[in-house]
Amino acid sequence: MYLTDPDPNILAKKMELVDKLLSFLPSDAVIYDPRETLAYECDALSAYRCPPMVAVLPRTTEEVANIVKLCWELDVPVVPRGSGTSLAGGALPTGDSLVLGVARMNETLEVDYSNRLMRVQTGRTNLSVTGEVESDGFFYAPDPSSQLACAISGNIAMNSGGAHCLKYGVTSNNLLGVKMVTMQGEILDLGGAQLDASGYDLLGVICGSEGQLGIVTEATLRILRKPEGALPVLIGYNDSEVAGQCVSDIIKAGVLPVAIEFMDRPCIRATDAFSQAGYPDCEALLIIEVEGSELEIEEQLAKIIVIANKHNPVELRRAKNTDEANRIWLGRKSAFGAMGQINDYMCLDGTIPVSKLPFVLKRISEMSKEFGLDVGNVFHAGDGNMHPLILYDANKPGDLEVCEAFGAEILKLCVEVGGCLTGEHGVGIEKRDLMHIQYSADDLEAQMSIKDVFDPKWLLNPTKVFPLDASVKRREGASQETAA
Amino acid sequence: MSIANLAPSSESEIAELVTSETERVHIAGGQSRLLATEKKIISTSALNGIVEYEPGALTMVAKAGTPLSLIKETLQKERQQLAFEPPEFKHILMLPGNSTIGGVFATNASGSRRIQVGAARDHLLGVRFVDGLGRIIKNGGRVMKNVTGYDLVKLLAGSWGTLGLITEVSFKVLPISETQLTLKLNLCDARILTTAINTPYDISGTFYDIGLKSAYIRVEGFDESVKYRVQQLLAEFSDFEIDILNMEQSKKFWKNVNNLDFLKNITGDLWRISVKPTDGIKIIEILDPKVGFLDWCGGLVWIRIDEGCDVRGKIQKLAGHAMCLLGDFDQFHPSSVIEKKLSASIRNKFDPKMLFNQEILN
């Protein structure tokens, strides 16, 4: 992947920028020593690294506004950062950028059960939001795998999902409002406690805009009353097509589980060896979870089991209590770790129409032979959000490139069968040059024109999301202005 | 007034029309929510039909002009539905047209189940549209999870045809529940809606009649589950006199709610006010309307009030917005200065000639 070169004109302004930042920020909030900026050189797409010119850690929205205003005046690109857990390189800096981290903005501002909402600063981690209201029987629904570490700011930027979004939706469906700072330093409130917008749904556009339209400093989140309980059933099949059919039949029967997870044989073997979850050695494993009171769980599981049995499973294991439930989830939850034990891996997240599952799995396994790299599949089957994990050796010259080429072929396939490049991780730098596959020049132009409105100089996270060749004029337009 | 009605049947035809157009046009679906504001109309009536329906994937793709009734019938055969229960405005506004699926999403028309499953915008997965420059643009897709690029789907939902002519929509559908029951709590406080939604019993509708002081609470799902939850709620609200509406009665009641039947045959201006749920009752106290109803746990207020009453002026200290559906006021609530600036710039990007629905959201 090509990483853009730093602009020497901007690098020349480093000390001017630092001095001005220090005039209104405490010294521990401005990081510019090259040994210290190294801490911000990458996110969870760690194959790519580049330390920023400066990193800042503001505590208030006003500080954020002053920082971006200054960067706007000096034409310094700004890379917003939550916890740096992006798998797509969403928080990867360029050498001439300022990283604006919201990690110190982690206050809870309001908890309002009557209106089922809470307001937080966006540096809060996803799990800590639920932690705040859990003892009162509430929770925040989106639950990305990285929820222990990932920040709400990043969840909003990437419109994060999770295992339970089949029932509860993704971030966008659970975000009621934001306070954000535009690149020109204006502070803007969008949405709020009311349930719809009076004009354009700008909140809906901000969510998932990958930190390119503004810096979200506060979020109003929907919180929900926790269901009385939840239990999963584990079902093994010797044919992935049959497993796919089972998923489709369950949905058609009117049962709406909170989660339907799918693992293929390579993944089952790896996770079982790693976690001793006691999974059956079969072609496809489903974990289906339902919620409610004991009686309701019973009713739904009974319906699921009837359907599952029609397809002759090799194993059907139903959790009767929390311990058994945890055992069933153990392997799935350690799947990424287990694959990482075998080798380095790249995790994709293309989404496909559920009906195309067997075909896509077959093609991935054929491609795996062509490219000579192993791949395991673990994914959210209810909504077709795949997670192929391609194994490669980072220390073997050329392996990363082969892996990326293989990944690109899988994503092309996802789009060909009617799906998309990314279901929940975002585009970042990782998939920006593949955007042409899914979108026409006009489609991309329409999206980029939104960025023109919010960030006319293209200073916010400018090298992400859009293919570099599509965004070059806009990005260079900004720096030419600087030169002039 | 003579009306020129154009009904293009393909995106390229629309693109051609728009490119050469210099006069202002009104984009019309079924005209069941909004009457034409211009002499010249581009209708979606020739963009008709379901393109794809996969019940096992809970998704449907349809051309924008497809009648809502056809969508509902088709889904019904597979025991599925548009879970967000699009409300109908035609009865109350006395409009002759019939709702189209494009119109439902273009106006983000969301009914009582909003509090449980989200709004129309939360169910819209993808759009195709022709903008004011004649560009054919797609965004989103037909899969449930998609974060590829910016979410223009949300932008188009609720844009009332001001950014482009939506030609095709793909959306999420959900199973129709096996059964439903509604509890009617007599002589209670509106705050009961909040108490109900904050139980773990997965409430799918809350409605309050200010005049009668009655609350309606809907529970849906599988048979045993609904019975159980109703028992739990009866215990929770044992201090009140409660009637139970059986499945038929319950369905009929919520259909009336979403057809706005309860606001018919009353004179006065008609307003729809969207606020923080606990502010709903405050709106009623401030305005003291002829009739008032709360949906969405109090977050959606419907009133009929004396003609000419400056509703927006009176409630401006509460955050939210008010839409005037019948009366001599602008239909749409003015935005904040900065939102207005951003929205105008966005509109200018998609429709610089201001061809589409110029009077709306302006």
Side-chain angles (χ1 to χ4, degrees):
Chain A
M1 190 148 343
Y2 171 71
L3 297 182
T4 42
D5 297 322
D7 180 339
N9 292 321
I10 298 172
L11 290 177
K13 290 185 249 184
K14 176 174 174 177
M15 285 325 290
E16 182 189 355
L17 174 69
V18 168
D19 287 342
K20 286 184 172 163
L21 287 168
L22 285 169
S23 72
F24 63 90
L25 288 173
S27 60
D28 74 338
V30 185
I31 296 151
Y32 58 96
D33 182 323
R35 284 166 302 187
E36 291 176 40
T37 52
L38 266 185
Y40 300 91
E41 68 174 354
C42 71
D43 52 25
L45 184 72
S46 55
Y48 295 95
R49 289 159 197 265
C50 172
M53 181 166 73
V54 180
V56 288
L57 298 168
R59 287 185 187 277
T60 66
T61 301
E62 288 67 31
E63 283 180 354
V64 172
N66 288 329
I67 293 163
V68 291
K69 242 184 256 172
L70 182 58
C71 292
W72 170 264
E73 281 159 20
L74 296 175
D75 293 313
V76 175
V78 174
V79 176
R81 182 183 174 99
S83 297
T85 56
S86 171
L87 289 162
L92 179 75
T94 49
D96 53 10
S97 67
L98 171 139
V99 163
L100 194 155
V102 293
R104 289 182 182 170
M105 301 183 66
N106 50 20
E107 299 284 316
T108 299
L109 304 166
E110 185 185 0
V111 177
D112 178 352
Y113 293 127
S114 295
N115 289 300
R116 300 194 297 162
L117 61 84
M118 67 190 284
R119 214 151 49 78
V120 296
Q121 285 187 313
T122 54
R124 283 297 291 263
T125 62
N126 174 290
L127 199 59
S128 80
V129 168
T130 287
E132 182 94 24
V133 292
E134 211 171 14
S135 57
D136 291 316
F138 283 78
F139 74 112
Y140 172 62
D143 60 341
S145 303
S146 57
Q147 68 180 150
L148 189 65
C150 65
I152 292 296
S153 60
N155 290 179
I156 294 170
M158 294 317 204
N159 190 11
S160 304
H164 290 81
C165 44
L166 184 58
K167 176 166 181 190
Y168 294 109
V170 294
T171 301
S172 185
N173 314 115
N174 292 277
L175 178 71
L176 290 166
V178 295
K179 185 185 280 296
M180 60 175 265
V181 180
T182 68
M183 193 57 218
Q184 293 174 67
E186 288 172 307
I187 298 171
L188 170 64
D189 286 297
L190 295 175
Q194 71 275 15
L195 294 173
D196 59 8
S198 59
Y200 294 152
D201 187 354
L202 299 178
L203 178 67
V205 180
I206 294 301
C207 190
S209 63
E210 306 207 6
Q212 289 199 309
L213 302 182
I215 297 180
V216 177
T217 57
E218 290 177 20
T220 306
L221 307 172
R222 159 70 69 236
I223 49 172
L224 298 169
R225 179 67 194 257
K226 269 198 334 200
E228 289 167 87
L231 284 178
V233 55
L234 176 153
I235 311 162
Y237 288 106
N238 255 337
D239 183 335
S240 61
E241 196 160 339
V242 173
Q245 194 54 50
C246 177
V247 170
S248 174
D249 287 353
I250 289 167
I251 290 173
K252 267 195 272 188
V255 186
L256 195 63
V258 278
I260 305 182
E261 299 291 294
F262 189 123
M263 290 167 81
D264 69 356
R265 193 189 291 272
C267 215
I268 299 167
R269 285 189 174 164
T271 53
D272 204 57
F274 179 74
S275 67
Q276 270 92 49
Y279 286 168
D281 185 24
C282 57
E283 208 50 50
L285 188 105
L286 298 174
I287 299 174
I288 304 177
E289 183 159 272
V290 296
E291 284 181 346
S293 66
E294 241 172 82
L295 181 144
E296 291 172 291
I297 289 173
E298 176 73 31
E299 192 180 23
Q300 294 175 76
L301 285 184
K303 285 180 200 288
I304 289 170
I305 288 167
V306 168
I307 295 165
N309 277 330
K310 282 187 192 153
H311 296 286
N312 301 317
V314 292
E315 178 148 345
L316 195 150
R317 191 190 307 162
R318 182 188 159 168
K320 291 187 193 65
N321 53 46
T322 317
D323 270 0
E324 290 181 18
N326 289 342
R327 274 195 76 73
I328 288 180
W329 276 110
L330 177 71
R332 167 63 186 91
K333 290 200 167 156
S334 54
F336 285 34
M339 295 299 277
Q341 219 34 11
I342 302 174
N343 219 331
D344 300 300
Y345 68 79
M346 183 165 116
C347 173
L348 303 169
D349 81 313
T351 306
I352 55 168
V354 182
S355 58
K356 299 293 194 293
L357 215 52
F359 171 73
V360 171
L361 286 175
K362 190 168 136 266
R363 278 296 297 137
I364 290 178
S365 125
E366 287 164 7
M367 284 193 265
S368 165
K369 292 188 190 96
E370 288 161 31
F371 282 91
L373 292 176
D374 285 333
V375 55
N377 283 288
V378 47
F379 53 93
H380 314 307
D383 44 33
N385 190 190
M386 316 257 314
H387 284 314
L389 301 167
I390 308 173
L391 296 171
Y392 72 102
D393 183 352
N395 294 320
K396 191 173 151 194
D399 231 24
L400 173 64
E401 288 71 21
V402 176
C403 175
E404 285 182 341
F406 181 11
E409 284 308 309
I410 292 177
L411 295 180
K412 272 183 205 166
L413 175 66
C414 289
V415 175
E416 272 165 27
V417 300
C420 66
L421 297 171
T422 169
E424 56 183 4
H425 296 169
V427 178
I429 58 155
E430 191 200 21
K431 285 161 288 229
R432 68 183 173 202
D433 294 305
L434 300 175
M435 288 286 274
H436 286 309
I437 298 169
Q438 190 174 332
Y439 289 118
S440 72
D442 277 347
D443 297 339
L444 291 173
E445 188 61 33
Q447 295 180 35
M448 288 191 292
S449 72
I450 300 288
K451 184 162 173 63
D452 295 339
V453 167
F454 282 86
D455 177 21
K457 289 194 195 177
W458 275 64
L459 289 172
L460 258 178
N461 226 4
T463 57
K464 314 288 167 63
V465 184
F466 302 104
L468 288 179
D469 57 0
S471 67
V472 64
K473 272 190 192 152
R474 289 171 153 97
R475 286 180 292 113
E476 284 183 354
S479 56
Q480 271 160 13
E481 253 173 57
T482 319
Chain B
M1 181 167 88
S2 67
I3 289 177
N5 206 338
L6 305 167
S9 59
S10 71
E11 287 173 344
S12 53
E13 214 178 307
I14 298 163
E16 216 170 288
L17 251 171
V18 168
T19 312
S20 57
E21 189 57 70
T22 50
E23 262 181 85
R24 288 150 53 165
V25 295
H26 179 91
I27 297 175
Q31 296 206 60
S32 68
R33 297 172 197 279
L34 191 71
L35 271 182
T37 47
E38 307 291 346
K39 281 186 203 152
K40 201 168 192 177
I41 293 174
I42 303 185
S43 159
T44 60
S45 60
L47 300 166
N48 190 350
I50 291 165
V51 178
E52 200 176 79
Y53 176 31
E54 262 193 65
L58 299 173
T59 51
M60 184 183 260
V61 184
K63 291 188 185 168
T66 312
L68 180 59
S69 53
L70 177 69
I71 303 276
K72 284 183 175 173
E73 279 161 29
T74 309
L75 291 171
Q76 174 80 39
K77 285 181 195 147
E78 297 286 341
R79 290 202 53 77
Q80 294 187 341
Q81 62 176 344
L82 293 172
F84 57 93
E85 264 178 308
E88 290 278 10
F89 288 4
K90 61 178 280 188
H91 311 290
I92 190 83
L93 299 179
M94 292 188 280
L95 295 175
N98 286 312
S99 187
T100 61
I101 192 68
V104 165
F105 286 111
T107 58
N108 190 27
S110 317
S112 300
R113 217 181 275 111
R114 166 77 182 89
I115 54 163
Q116 186 198 32
V117 299
R121 56 90 97 171
D122 297 297
H123 291 76
L124 187 61
L125 304 172
V127 286
R128 296 183 62 90
F129 64 101
V130 180
D131 76 357
L133 292 165
R135 295 183 298 188
I136 298 166
I137 298 165
K138 68 169 181 302
N139 194 261
R142 63 178 173 107
V143 288
M144 215 101 73
K145 275 169 88 182
N146 185 351
V147 295
T148 320
Y150 292 172
D151 193 347
L152 304 186
V153 173
K154 299 280 187 307
L155 182 67
L156 268 288
S159 65
W160 291 78
T162 59
L163 298 174
L165 189 152
I166 298 176
T167 56
E168 189 180 285
V169 286
S170 61
F171 46 94
K172 178 179 166 181
V173 299
L174 283 171
I176 294 176
S177 51
E178 192 173 277
T179 190
Q180 62 171 275
L181 292 174
T182 293
L183 272 61
K184 177 177 177 241
L185 279 69
N186 299 312
L187 294 177
C188 63
D189 195 279
R191 275 177 293 219
I192 213 88
L193 304 183
T194 306
T195 315
I197 194 79
N198 279 341
T199 63
Y201 308 125
D202 213 11
I203 307 301
S204 74
T206 57
F207 188 79
Y208 186 78
D209 182 329
I210 303 284
L212 294 176
K213 295 195 189 312
S214 304
Y216 297 81
I217 294 160
R218 178 173 60 184
V219 180
E220 294 177 276
F222 290 115
D223 209 29
E224 290 300 316
S225 160
V226 168
K227 276 187 206 150
Y228 163 79
R229 285 181 279 152
V230 165
Q231 285 312 317
Q232 297 296 109
L233 288 164
L234 286 174
E236 177 96 28
F237 297 123
S238 57
D239 292 348
F240 297 92
E241 183 199 310
I242 301 177
D243 302 323
I244 296 179
L245 277 57
N246 67 25
M247 178 146 96
E248 283 312 303
Q249 293 165 329
S250 174
K251 280 187 174 169
K252 194 171 167 221
F253 173 79
W254 293 99
K255 191 177 176 192
N256 288 346
V257 167
N258 287 308
N259 282 342
L260 309 177
D261 282 346
F262 51 95
L263 294 159
K264 283 198 299 201
N265 305 322
I266 301 158
T267 56
D269 291 350
L270 171 65
W271 289 83
R272 173 196 187 274
I273 305 162
S274 178
V275 288
K276 178 157 89 175
T278 48
D279 283 349
I281 194 71
K282 291 183 196 163
I283 296 283
I284 298 289
E285 282 162 11
I286 295 168
L287 295 172
D288 190 25
K290 292 179 171 179
V291 291
F293 300 88
L294 305 179
D295 202 339
W296 298 0
C297 285
L300 182 64
V301 186
W302 284 103
I303 55 164
R304 296 214 70 151
I305 194 162
D306 290 337
E307 282 169 31
C309 173
D310 177 17
V311 167
R312 288 186 186 119
K314 288 188 176 178
I315 61 169
Q316 62 183 343
K317 64 171 194 250
L318 297 172
H321 50 91
M323 181 184 278
C324 179
L325 285 126
L326 289 171
D328 213 9
F329 293 89
D330 280 343
Q331 178 167 357
F332 296 94
H333 197 94
S335 319
S336 70
V337 176
I338 176 161
E339 249 181 287
K340 201 171 175 174
K341 189 183 80 180
L342 290 167
S343 300
S345 307
I346 290 173
R347 192 167 184 171
N348 185 49
K349 295 283 180 193
F350 288 92
D351 184 18
K353 292 189 280 180
M354 282 297 273
L355 292 175
F356 301 143
N357 294 14
Q358 197 189 88
E359 300 288 310
I360 299 169
L361 284 174
N362 195 0

